[in-house]
Structure formats: C-alpha cells, structure tokens
Amino acid sequence: MGVTFEGYPEISGEEINQALDFCNRQILHVLPDFTDKFQQAYSENGFYPPIANTDWTTGFWTGEIWLAYEYSGDGQLRKAGEIQVHDFLERIDKKISVDHHDMGFLYSPSCVAAYKLIGSKEGREAAIKAADQLITRYHPVGEFIQAWGPMNAPENYRLIIDCLLNLPLLYWASGETGDNKYRDIAEKHIHTAVANVIREDYSTWHTFFFDMKTGAPDHGATCQGYRDGSAWARGQAWGVYGLALAYKYTGRKEYIDLFRNVTEYFLTHLPKDLIPFWDLEFTDGDDQPRDSSSASIAACGMLEMSKYLEPEEAEHYRKIAAKIMKSVFDNYAVKDFETSNGLVLHSTYSNHSPYNTCNHCGVDECNAWGDYFYMEALTRMSKDWVLYW
Ligand code: GLY
C-alpha cells in the first residue's frame, strides 16, 4: 500500500480541538481588521495586511470565517461572513479581477459555503455568476479551461494543475441550476488535465500548453516550481486533492489509481518531518524554504479520497493525513497572537529561481490557503464535514 511513516504519531482528538479552538480565537481576534477588508495572499513578517477583494486568494479568508462559524457558532462570524459574501457578489457583478480561472478558489469557500451553511441567497447568486464567468474561459478545441491572461494569448494557451480545485464550482452550479453545461465543461477539462499534467513517474507538470490551431497537447512547463521537470510541491498537492475531487464528481475508476500514484510520489518525497520543501526536488539538508500549505492540501485530499476506498486503504490514508497534520500542528501552527495574525507559518507562495517564471513573494510566510486548508483538514478530522467544494 506504499509508504506508511511507521512510528510517527497521529494528531489526537484533543489536539484537533485545541488547534480548532485557537483558529477560532485568532479569527475572532483579527476579525475587526478583516471584515470589510480581506487578508493579503501572504503575510509579511508573519502579519497579513488588509486588502480589498481583488486577488485570487480572498475566498480562503472568508472560508476560514465559515469554518470557524461551523466550529463555534459565534454570531459575529456569521455576520462578517455575510458582509464578505455581499462583497463577492459585487465583485462578480462588477467583474473586478475575474479575468482568470480561479473562480472556484474564490467562490466555493466563500459563497457556496454560505449557501450551504446558512442558505445565503446572495451566496448562491454570486457563485452561479462565478461559474458562468469560469466557463467563458473554456477552449472547445483543446477541451480545457485557460488559466491566466487574455483568452487566446499564445503565451498563455495553457491549463494549470491548480485548476482541478476550481471545478467543483461547476458541478455545484449544474446541481443548482439543472443545466449540465457547467458539468460537461468540468468533465472535459479534468480529462484533458489528467491526461497531460501527470508524468510517467507520477510527478506532475505545473502548467501544460496546447497547440492553438489543433488543440493538441504541446508541452509542459513550470511557473512556480524550481525548474521544468521538477515537481512543484503545491502542484503535486493540488494533484492529490484534485484527483480525489475528480473521482468524487466523475466516479471514473481510473482516477483512483492516479490518485494512489500521485499521492505516493508526494509522500515519498517528504523530508523527515513530513512537511515538504517548496519543490519536491529538495529535501533534508537543502537550504530551501518549506511549503507547509502543501502538507495540509494533500492531507485534505487523502481525507476526501478515504471516503470512497475500501476500509483498509481508507484507514491507511486517514492515518497518513493524521501524521502529517500532527507535524503541522506541533511544528508550524501559530499558537499565540503575538507571533502572527495568521494560522500556519513557513509556507511559500512564489519562489523565484533561475529556471522558473514566477514573481518572488510570500516566501517562508503564512498564506491564505495554507491557513484555510489547515482548518479544513482539522474540521474534516473532527466531524463528517459537508464540503464547500
Ligand atoms: N494557485 C496558485 C498557487 O497555488 O500558488
């Protein structure tokens, strides 16, 4: 069944409660600064500055508010969540910074969550509009959703592995509206993505280009990984969670095996403390930053997939997720208000190398999705959680 991390401790029920309790207190503590504003994608020296709702990452903060609301039922959280959902509706109505594929990251943990949890009408309306926006980026010739940049720009005629997390929004929109057009596009994109981003050794490409005329697969490339041909840790983690979700929504059995293999590649490239460096090329002894967010993302994927597996294999993945989350909790989680206004330290957003094309920002800091998926993993381990995805 693959690597088991024999002898590593699992996070206990008591530790999960302690962790969620601190998350809830931290979120309430900073809520006055982040109700009309959102947290920046990444912290600066441990502290997030407030920003307007314009980046691809703001849905994670609202998602944290909803997860905290699920934990404590505190009315202040519900009120703040509703204010933010209203802001998301305005954002999609006015088309503010929505010219990219990250509609799922933005609208699932904020607006779909609000609809599922409190029946928010604004949440439902905003999320359906976001799904409409997302499908405008679909290329029927190559059968994929273009990630970034103006449609048909040659330098951006590509998909990226991260997009697998944007697709649950489309399944949800088909379920809500009865219109299968969203789901059909999601299905086509998933198929194109997994057929191309997964390499023979089950490491993954971050991004994959297509021929503009024929739609045929052209070549893989990295943006945020160390180099073309290496495995960007978060890309691999998006693959783990993305394949679990792909199986949930399509029921295609071949995705189970892909999940097993992509997950195994991730797990066998972890350093001793189970928290990956920012690219899986690096390991213990390398002077490189970690990406703690990838650990929580992969744990969420394993916890999701364990719902669909036979008991023995399900238990295998649940145990690994609990071991990884023990390390996040013990060694990376924020434990007091003075250190940070976030939840998890030592994550990496975008680390520029001589061989990649990304900006340099948020290296060895908290980031919005690292905090969100930490809470999601803890919540998943504390109860039978109804997905926002
Ligand atoms: N989806 C962008 C990232 O993971 O940094």
Side-chain angles (χ1 to χ4, degrees):
M1 218 173 294
V3 65
T4 59
F5 304 116
E6 196 59 39
Y8 280 70
E10 295 171 32
I11 191 166
S12 68
E14 200 181 316
E15 287 165 330
I16 291 168
N17 280 338
Q18 259 177 45
L20 280 172
D21 193 64
F22 178 78
C23 293
N24 184 63
R25 284 189 291 114
Q26 176 75 298
I27 289 167
L28 283 168
H29 178 65
V30 304
L31 203 60
D33 290 337
F34 300 104
T35 294
D36 299 319
K37 294 274 184 187
F38 294 75
Q39 292 187 335
Q40 183 176 272
Y42 53 93
S43 64
E44 294 175 15
N45 297 316
F47 287 82
Y48 290 102
I51 59 162
N53 190 2
T54 53
D55 207 348
W56 69 273
T57 54
T58 47
F60 296 119
W61 168 244
T62 313
E64 288 168 56
I65 293 175
W66 288 129
L67 288 171
Y69 177 65
E70 282 201 53
Y71 174 77
S72 67
D74 192 311
Q76 295 170 76
L77 294 163
R78 177 178 172 143
K79 206 162 166 221
E82 288 181 298
I83 289 170
Q84 300 217 328
V85 165
H86 183 73
D87 205 77
F88 274 104
L89 178 58
E90 229 177 78
R91 176 168 175 178
I92 194 71
D93 276 338
K94 294 185 180 157
K95 299 256 196 294
I96 299 169
S97 303
V98 291
D99 228 358
H100 54 77
H101 72 152
D102 283 324
M103 295 304 108
F105 280 128
L106 283 169
Y107 283 85
S108 295
S110 59
C111 295
V112 173
Y115 177 57
K116 287 185 177 175
L117 286 175
I118 62 162
S120 166
K121 286 199 175 64
E122 288 199 329
R124 183 180 184 278
E125 182 186 344
I128 290 172
K129 287 176 171 169
D132 282 324
Q133 173 68 19
L134 180 53
I135 61 172
T136 66
R137 300 191 64 83
Y138 181 65
H139 287 297
V141 179
E143 299 191 335
F144 71 96
I145 293 171
Q146 185 184 317
W148 304 317
M151 288 298 276
N152 294 310
E155 73 281 9
N156 266 317
Y157 203 72
R158 60 174 156 181
L159 59 78
I160 73 171
I161 193 167
D162 323 28
C163 190
L164 292 172
L165 273 284
N166 284 318
L167 305 177
L169 178 69
L170 299 182
Y171 283 93
W172 173 83
S174 275
E176 278 303 308
T177 61
D179 188 338
N180 282 340
K181 72 181 174 199
Y182 306 100
R183 200 182 62 191
D184 292 346
I185 287 177
E187 216 118 302
K188 298 260 199 242
H189 177 97
I190 292 173
H191 184 69
T192 308
V194 303
N196 292 291
V197 296
I198 303 172
R199 304 183 187 118
E200 249 173 55
D201 64 354
Y202 299 104
S203 66
T204 52
W205 289 106
H206 178 196
T207 88
F208 205 94
F209 285 87
F210 295 83
D211 183 286
M212 286 189 69
K213 281 208 182 76
T214 63
D218 200 84
H219 68 281
T222 200
C223 172
Q224 282 159 274
Y226 177 63
R227 61 174 175 88
D228 288 341
S230 71
W232 176 45
R234 198 159 55 257
Q236 196 77 16
W238 292 137
V240 172
Y241 199 173
L243 283 162
L245 292 170
Y247 178 70
K248 170 186 166 62
Y249 285 110
T250 65
R252 286 176 74 147
K253 295 258 184 293
E254 63 267 34
Y255 295 161
I256 302 183
D257 233 28
L258 288 174
F259 166 87
R260 289 185 181 117
N261 287 312
V262 167
T263 303
E264 196 61 13
Y265 188 96
F266 181 83
L267 296 175
T268 52
H269 287 77
L270 294 179
K272 280 203 190 65
D273 77 351
L274 308 186
I275 308 302
F277 287 84
W278 68 287
D279 192 292
L280 299 181
E281 178 134 320
F282 304 114
T283 191
D284 290 308
D286 288 322
D287 185 20
Q288 294 284 335
R290 307 260 174 175
D291 177 32
S292 57
S293 74
S294 295
S296 298
I297 293 165
C300 287
M302 286 182 262
L303 292 168
E304 179 60 25
M305 197 64 189
S306 65
K307 294 181 349 198
Y308 315 111
L309 298 170
E310 293 298 321
E312 197 189 340
E313 194 179 15
E315 191 56 13
H316 165 73
Y317 286 116
R318 267 191 226 110
K319 277 176 178 291
I320 291 180
K323 290 173 182 182
I324 290 176
M325 294 316 294
K326 167 79 173 157
S327 182
V328 179
F329 173 65
D330 279 354
N331 308 315
Y332 294 80
V334 174
K335 306 271 180 13
D336 58 68
F337 300 156
E338 289 73 39
T339 304
S340 169
N341 63 359
L343 303 179
V344 187
L345 304 167
H346 308 302
S347 200
T348 291
Y349 180 6
S350 233
N351 194 11
H352 187 61
S353 85
Y355 315 110
N356 72 20
T357 54
C358 68
N359 299 325
H360 191 78
C361 59
V363 175
D364 198 18
E365 288 285 347
C366 303
N367 58 42
W369 55 92
D371 290 357
Y372 169 82
F373 286 107
Y374 173 61
M375 280 190 84
E376 183 184 307
L378 295 167
T379 305
R380 280 175 175 277
M381 291 188 290
S382 72
K383 64 177 187 179
D384 190 9
W385 183 62
V386 177
L387 268 72
Y388 300 166
W389 306 100

